[in-house]
Amino acid sequence: MTKFQERVFSGVQPTGTLHLGNYLGAIKNFVELQNKYNCVYCVVDQHAITVDQDPKELRSNILEVLASFIAAGVDYKKQIIFQQSSVPAHSQLAWVFNCVSRIGWLNRMTQFKDKAGKNKENVSVGLMVYPNLMAADILAYLATHVPVGDDQKQHLELSRDIAQKFNNDFGVEFFPQPEPLIYGSATRVMSLRDGSKKMSKSDPSDFSRILLTDDDDTITAKIKKAKSDSELIPGSKEELQSKPECLNLINILSATTNQSVDQVLSHYAGKEYSSLKKDLADSLVQVISPIRGEINNLLNNQDELNVILAEGTEKAAAIANPIIEEVYKIVGFK
Ligand code: AMP
Ligand code: TRP
């Protein structure tokens, strides 16, 4: 196998304010990885329109996600942050991948099944071919490493299958096999109201998630109200398995304090939830309040954000355009 130059790529959809799951599952890792890799981080607006969006809200969400990347610590001067729709290479490669990927593969995607539900005949075609576009995002940069939350694992496997099939079909070693980077104690942050559902932007209950824009009192109130039970906190990981809400709180505290789950668990075993919740709220306030402040500063200076986006677009296109040229030669367009 040809040695590919290592590069990180990841994307976040501008479909609402980012929450703690996005931060701990993905963006916190984006920040760490920039010490080791060249990184490309993308606001994936073309993914967002696979379901209905209000155009005005979409534009403001794009800027908010961009501001959240920077506020969380992504270094936009050294790395690349940009908006997907401004670099046509994503759509160009997605079309080629629509013709490489198989309908049977897409039919197996659990996220599609969940999102389409009983409405399978009436959702957009875009929602179904969304994983092909995701593969194009990654492979337009020949990216080798992709930091994501646990829910994106299956989509990453599909990206690998597409890369492999393209290479086989055309007898080349052109695309790498992108590797998912799913790590930390909070790869799947659960709803604060129901430990069996993941924390998401679309849950109808505001109390199910902590937003990166929540003020300190709101964070504390949401943690206080988080679902728990009247027993004491168990002492072993085995017992925790039957208490998903408790496990979630422990995982979050482990991630925000950079301690292992075992360390956190041994500290709270046999104690009441109130002590865990108090420390968790304090820890979250410490992590989120500076990010919130910076998001607000950046959003008050939209001209600067637009300049950052334009610079990112130029840097991203400079990598992706020659790769598309090569792909066009391989498939016989050129
Ligand atoms: P999205 O908002 O769907 O574009 O997700 C952006 C990133 O956040 C992806 O890498 C997701 O895997 C990750 N993510 C979303 N929700 C969660 C969650 N509840 N726990 C952990 N990671 C998540
Ligand atoms: N599908 C991802 C999500 O919903 C977002 C995404 C789009 C992405 N393109 C990507 C993530 C490329 C990593 C790499 O969270």
Side-chain angles (χ1 to χ4, degrees):
M1 182 100 179
T2 326
K3 180 85 182 88
F4 288 95
Q5 201 189 334
E6 292 187 318
R7 180 179 283 133
V8 165
F9 183 98
S10 195
V12 176
Q13 296 191 59
T15 44
T17 298
L18 299 189
H19 54 69
L20 190 63
N22 299 129
Y23 179 68
L24 296 178
I27 296 168
K28 183 169 183 265
N29 295 345
F30 293 3
V31 176
E32 282 168 22
L33 290 165
Q34 44 184 10
N35 299 322
K36 204 171 150 204
Y37 296 100
N38 289 322
C39 304
V40 183
Y41 297 129
C42 184
V43 183
V44 289
D45 51 358
Q46 290 174 292
H47 279 87
I49 63 161
T50 56
V51 296
D52 288 346
Q53 300 293 335
D54 174 78
K56 274 209 186 90
E57 262 175 47
L58 180 61
R59 182 67 204 160
S60 87
N61 284 336
I62 290 166
L63 294 180
E64 194 176 320
V65 172
L66 180 77
S68 306
F69 282 175
I70 301 169
V74 173
D75 183 345
Y76 64 88
K77 292 195 174 122
K78 283 210 195 108
Q79 309 295 349
I80 301 177
I81 53 179
F82 74 107
Q83 182 183 346
Q84 184 184 32
S85 61
S86 64
V87 177
H90 295 251
S91 319
Q92 293 172 311
L93 188 56
W95 184 259
V96 174
F97 285 172
N98 280 344
C99 304
V100 171
S101 181
R102 305 285 98 176
I103 290 184
W105 296 357
L106 295 171
N107 263 329
R108 284 197 287 276
M109 294 294 113
T110 54
Q111 194 176 76
F112 175 69
K113 287 191 235 176
D114 289 349
K115 284 201 175 173
K118 292 200 186 83
N119 208 17
K120 212 172 159 206
E121 294 296 314
N122 205 27
V123 291
S124 75
V125 175
L127 189 69
M128 182 164 205
V129 296
Y130 163 125
N132 297 343
L133 176 61
M134 178 163 163
D137 297 337
I138 298 165
L139 294 167
Y141 300 85
L142 302 180
T144 52
H145 295 81
V146 184
V148 280
D150 179 71
D151 61 341
Q152 295 303 312
K153 202 170 166 189
Q154 197 186 28
H155 289 160
L156 248 297
E157 278 159 15
L158 189 91
S159 298
R160 295 166 66 89
D161 290 344
I162 290 175
Q164 182 78 56
K165 186 165 186 297
F166 180 96
N167 287 348
N168 290 346
D169 286 355
F170 294 98
V172 290
E173 281 287 345
F174 188 71
F175 288 120
Q177 287 276 289
E179 226 181 275
L181 296 178
I182 302 174
Y183 67 94
S185 333
T187 55
R188 190 174 183 84
V189 177
M190 307 310 280
S191 155
L192 299 176
R193 307 300 303 156
D194 177 352
S196 68
K197 285 203 297 198
K198 72 172 182 180
M199 184 176 285
S200 91
K201 292 172 193 154
S202 57
D203 192 298
S205 164
D206 283 342
F207 274 81
S208 69
R209 64 188 156 255
I210 306 250
L211 300 178
L212 294 186
T213 50
D214 278 343
D215 62 35
D216 296 354
D217 290 345
T218 306
I219 294 171
T220 307
K222 285 180 176 176
I223 293 296
K224 219 175 185 175
K225 269 208 162 178
K227 189 173 170 201
S228 55
D229 55 61
S230 53
E231 293 172 16
L232 299 176
I233 294 173
S236 73
K237 273 189 181 159
E238 292 68 44
E239 282 172 274
L240 262 188
Q241 294 313 315
S242 59
K243 290 179 178 290
E245 285 83 14
C246 184
L247 175 64
N248 191 37
L249 299 179
I250 301 259
N251 282 342
I252 297 173
L253 188 58
S254 151
T256 54
T257 56
N258 294 317
Q259 298 177 78
S260 71
V261 170
D262 284 325
Q263 276 171 315
V264 176
L265 197 53
S266 67
H267 189 264
Y268 294 96
K271 293 191 180 158
E272 311 229 351
Y273 277 91
S274 53
S275 77
L276 169 62
K277 285 184 168 181
K278 184 180 177 311
D279 293 347
L280 179 55
D282 289 348
S283 168
L284 285 171
V285 165
Q286 256 190 32
V287 171
I288 290 177
S289 103
I291 297 178
R292 176 187 65 229
E294 193 51 27
I295 293 176
N296 290 335
N297 286 341
L298 288 160
L299 288 176
N300 281 330
N301 196 347
Q302 302 216 343
D303 290 347
E304 192 186 333
L305 288 178
N306 285 320
V307 171
I308 294 171
L309 275 180
E311 285 171 0
T313 299
E314 214 172 292
K315 291 196 275 181
I319 300 174
N321 288 347
I323 292 171
I324 297 301
E325 277 296 299
E326 284 300 308
V327 171
Y328 276 16
K329 283 186 197 151
I330 293 169
V331 302
F333 288 168
K334 291 207 163 169

